Amino acid sequence: MSALVAGGVAVLAAPDSTPNTGINYTALSILVILFALVTVAGFMATRFKRAESLDSLDEWGLGGRKFGTWVTWFLLGGDLYTAYTFVAVPAAMFALGSVAGFFAVPYTIIAYPIIFVFMARLWSVSHRHGYVTTADFVRGRYDARGLSLAIAATGFLATMPYIALQLVGVQAVLEVAGLGGSDNIIAKDLPILIAFALLAAYTYSSGLRAPAVIAFVKDALIYVVILVAIIYLPSQVGGWENIFASAQEKMGTINEVTGKPQGSFIPVEQQYWAYATLALGSALGLFMYPHAVTATLASGSRNTIRRNASILPAYSFVLALLALLGWVAIAAGTEPIGLDGNPNAQLVVPQLFEDMFPSWFAGVAFAAIAIGALVPAAIMSIAAANTFTRNIYKEFINRGADAKKEAQVSKLMSLLVKAFALVFVFTLDKQNAINFQLLGGIWMLQTFPAVVFSLYTRWFHRHALLAGWAIGMVYGTYQAYLTPNPATGQAHFGGSVAAIPALAELGYIAVTAFAINVLVAAVLTPVLNAMKVAKGADETRPGDYHADADDPRVQKDLQAHEPGALPDKA
Amino acid sequence: MSTLGKGEEPDAPATSSPYASENKSLMIAAGVLLVIPVLALMTVGLYAKDGPELFGFPFFFWYQFLWVFLTAGMTYAAHRLVLKARGKSHKDIA
């Protein structure tokens, strides 16, 4: 471990930035002020598009389904660009280079045409039938409780480490600001507990509307900080030529522990498949997450989603710039060292900001990142709660639950999900948390066949889809377990790329598992049909997949959340 | 406008379109526009290069930046084509 630290520090070089050992009061004050403003906005968010009552899942969990284009745009933006993205992608670029970090750019670019194709259909069929989750849809399409439970459980599980990572982002910012020293127990955990408590409180009272209002503030802060960073910082470190030259030099240096180059500057031939499959697998899996589905269903018409899909690539542009900040940090000689004295690449962007900006603007930047973590954490916790309530609680525990009861259960589960994520943050090594996230991605992609294929066809047998899902989950989890990280000495869950069977290539485990999943489902379907195993009733009709806001049944669904009204679907 | 009413719809396969008339070639053109960005970014071997550089950025990086904008344009164009294929106007959108 000490050789690793020495190696890490040697590569980081440049003596003019020293590890932060004290509290940066200016930055911290600005952070606190902006945070307080956002908190007040969160509590007041109940006034935004006021509804009769928040006592129903649709009102609390979906903001009444009436958001127009611009609100949806901001909400989706806040949803997708998380603190993990702002902290971890540049950290991956800084430590390991473009294959580990820059794949996020093609991933987010191609996600949008992919979503354009199928999310409108999901919106339409969901509004015709009152579906709130993808598990609802699968249940209605196949009358398959097992498959629906599998989808719900996967979504619920994969969201939790994702929430944990948002809290890691907040912790990174607080650590660079000087809070959370590792010797004093109270100082160490109090900041994050306060942030968690505030988040929990205003999410509990306002539901999805709280994140929507804060998302405006968040996006404004993020864009200002990013634009200033990208315009100002490169010139301070010798321009882009020097930035790329420094990165190339660092990535080419041989790592003492592994005996191989530190990282990748531009992918080489052996890495092409890894890069492409990391991008493709992540893109296919992105909108399977409950929070992405929640945000999509909250919009007021099916074409709002399609129109948004064409402007969301603007966010990819921001992401590409952020990834490159990881390399700006190399040229700047940033040393991301934690308060415990160990190098921690996750701190690189906050540390870069603290080193290069005046303290007050560093505070603004910290606020941008921290608030940018809270929006996704809130949205994710609501979505995970919704899935639990509809597809696990109501389906298997209390079938007679009314709308008010559903909202109560969701509120409680949202709190529990956040609390559980907090446990991850405190007990797990950050390296482990990242690997839970990669596992989450592997899991989420396995729900793609059951959800997306079903939007177009009922050819696949429901039990074949369930078998495919199960085998994909087992294969993916096992492969990730077998993958070590030689640089850190981690024996299990050390990476997300492994050999693809039958090809002499390394690829993202999620995609390999997905291919096996589809193969199993495709092979078992004719077998089950030949054995005359029941296919299950389909409560949807072809026209459902094109219904828009002007459709009478859709309007009925959009209004059906009045307190006391019975939901369209039993 | 959609031709769907409150009564039963025919039990046709889910992929058949319920729109009164749907211009097939416009739909295919929209599909092509959506597939092109995916192909452009999946073929890593074609763009994982240093040169030619632009503003100090190696080709690998500025190529991907470029595709952010091209994809936005193509997706929007596909959106308008789909609306036209189904006889709707973009002014109809809420």
Side-chain angles (χ1 to χ4, degrees), chain A residues 452-493:
Chain A
V452 179
F453 293 0
S454 309
L455 285 170
Y456 291 89
T457 175
R458 257 176 53 101
W459 181 83
F460 287 92
H461 194 287
R462 55 189 175 155
H463 297 321
L465 285 170
L466 184 59
W469 168 86
I471 290 177
M473 295 285 280
V474 168
Y475 175 83
T477 311
Y478 184 58
Q479 277 298 313
Y481 175 77
L482 290 179
T483 306
N485 183 345
T488 59
Q490 202 171 332
H492 299 295
F493 297 114

Side-chain angles (χ1 to χ4, degrees), chain B residues 17-92:
Chain B
S17 170
Y19 296 96
S21 66
E22 187 178 82
N23 188 327
K24 275 278 170 219
S25 43
L26 287 182
M27 292 295 283
I28 290 170
V32 166
L33 280 174
L34 293 170
V35 165
I36 290 173
V38 178
L39 291 175
L41 290 164
M42 289 292 100
T43 49
V44 185
L46 293 180
Y47 63 92
K49 305 193 231 282
D50 243 311
E53 291 195 357
L54 192 64
F55 305 123
F57 281 67
F59 182 74
F60 177 72
F61 296 97
W62 68 257
Y63 177 90
Q64 292 176 86
F65 271 98
L66 179 64
W67 274 99
V68 170
F69 296 103
L70 292 178
T71 307
M74 289 187 185
T75 310
Y76 180 70
H79 167 69
R80 293 292 291 263
L81 279 174
V82 166
L83 287 176
K84 186 145 187 225
R86 288 173 177 167
K88 293 187 173 212
S89 162
H90 67 282
K91 299 184 188 71
D92 290 339

Side-chain angles (χ1 to χ4, degrees), chain A residues 69 98 102 105-106 109-110 113 116-117 121 128 141 240-241 244 248 265-267 272 275-276 279-280 301-304 306-307 309-310 313 316-317 320-321 324 327 456 541-543 545-548 550-552, chain B residues 1 4-6 8-19 34 37-38 41-42 44-45 47-50 53 55-58 60-61 64-65 67-69 71-72 75-76 78-79 82-83 86 88 93-94:
Chain A
T69 296
S98 48
F102 213 73
V105 176
I109 294 174
I110 68 174
F116 181 98
V117 171
R121 288 181 79 95
R128 268 288 183 90
R141 189 71 159 129
W240 285 106
E241 305 240 4
F244 285 111
Q248 188 165 22
F265 176 62
I266 289 176
Y272 293 165
Y275 193 78
L280 182 66
S301 88
R302 85 193 295 266
N303 279 304
T304 309
R306 284 204 161 141
R307 190 159 54 175
S310 62
S316 301
F317 182 74
L321 295 176
L324 288 173
W327 283 2
Y456 291 89
R541 289 286 172 268
Y545 297 90
H546 299 274
D548 207 343
D550 53 354
D551 179 271
Chain B
M1 283 287 287
L4 303 165
K6 294 179 185 138
E8 294 290 318
E9 286 88 14
D11 203 7
T15 47
S16 77
S17 170
Y19 296 96
L34 293 170
V38 178
L41 290 164
M42 289 292 100
V44 185
Y47 63 92
K49 305 193 231 282
D50 243 311
E53 291 195 357
F55 305 123
F57 281 67
F60 177 72
F61 296 97
Q64 292 176 86
F65 271 98
W67 274 99
V68 170
F69 296 103
T71 307
T75 310
Y76 180 70
H79 167 69
V82 166
L83 287 176
R86 288 173 177 167
K88 293 187 173 212
I93 298 167

